[in-house]
Amino acid sequence: MGTRTVLQHPDITRALTRIAHEILEANRGASDLVLLGIPTRGAVLAERLDRILADIEPEWTSGAGTGRVGTLDVTMHRDDLGHGIGRAPHRTTIPAGGIDGKVVVLVDDVLYSGRTVRAALDALQGIGRPRAVRLAVLVDRGHRELPIRADHVGKNLPTASDERVTLHLTETDGSDELLIVHPGGDS
């Protein structure tokens, strides 16, 4: 099994900074924006985007209680629950200002089949009615099984379907790196 490092800390920071600028440009500022990270690493990336947005946009305020950043647990909305795949539920935290009438940006780490995003859209229905929903992902690796497309992508990374893409973040894993694990030989 071979492993290749594709992104490291500076690459991830650059990608998130670019995504933050794209989000602001698409929305024409920070008005009515809410970030909802999909646990685990999507939630970490949403928190990082929060800090970047605070640095580049005066209208955005960083920190707890700003009504801008939350997490969205999709566990109970997944279509693979009956397939023996165990997932521990996470807590959903909705920003104080809610999501009704807001532009919600779902934040996830790696977009693959699209099934997690579909589950996130289902989970949103029980929480409120956003004006619009957008998707920001650090990596889009292709291989979609559902007609889902990210609005903001840090890196398009074509992969083979038997490869595994693994994101490590300092907050959860002690370091920042994106790895491709090849099942066969070394690369």
Side-chain angles (χ1 to χ4, degrees):
M1 201 181 295
T3 302
R4 179 171 55 114
T5 302
V6 179
L7 300 175
Q8 293 179 323
H9 177 75
D11 309 308
I12 293 170
T13 300
R14 269 191 303 279
L16 290 174
T17 301
R18 187 173 55 257
I19 288 170
H21 282 281
E22 288 177 5
I23 289 169
L24 290 171
E25 188 173 315
N27 198 59
R28 296 188 172 108
S31 178
D32 291 330
L33 270 176
V34 172
L35 302 178
L36 290 181
I38 300 172
T40 298
R41 286 164 189 81
V44 172
L45 294 174
E47 291 294 332
R48 287 190 187 187
L49 280 169
D50 176 41
R51 292 189 295 272
I52 294 167
L53 287 165
D55 286 343
I56 62 177
E57 176 60 41
E59 189 179 341
W60 189 269
T61 306
S62 183
T66 63
R68 299 274 195 167
V69 182
T71 59
L72 181 64
D73 179 47
V74 303
T75 306
M76 299 313 293
H77 297 275
R78 294 189 60 92
D79 62 3
D80 58 1
L81 286 177
H83 292 85
I85 299 171
R87 294 190 186 343
H90 293 85
R91 205 173 118 215
T92 292
T93 58
I94 300 305
I99 65 168
D100 288 337
K102 303 282 180 21
V103 175
V104 173
V105 179
L106 295 173
V107 181
D108 205 5
D109 55 354
V110 179
L111 178 57
Y112 182 44
S113 68
R115 294 186 179 279
T116 299
V117 176
R118 188 218 34 91
L121 293 170
D122 288 349
L124 272 178
Q125 287 182 345
I127 295 168
R129 188 164 193 265
R131 178 167 41 100
V133 179
R134 297 193 182 123
L135 176 61
V137 296
L138 181 63
V139 174
D140 183 344
R141 65 172 289 196
H143 304 284
R144 217 73 75 241
E145 296 172 4
L146 299 172
I148 290 176
R149 173 189 64 81
D151 299 284
H152 310 288
V153 178
K155 181 163 184 70
N156 286 297
L157 186 62
T159 60
S161 58
D162 63 343
E163 292 175 320
R164 197 172 75 238
V165 175
T166 303
L167 176 64
H168 293 166
L169 295 173
T170 303
E171 295 88 337
T172 55
D173 309 294
S175 66
D176 278 2
E177 60 185 354
L178 181 82
L179 307 170
I180 294 180
V181 180
H182 304 276
D186 288 330
S187 268

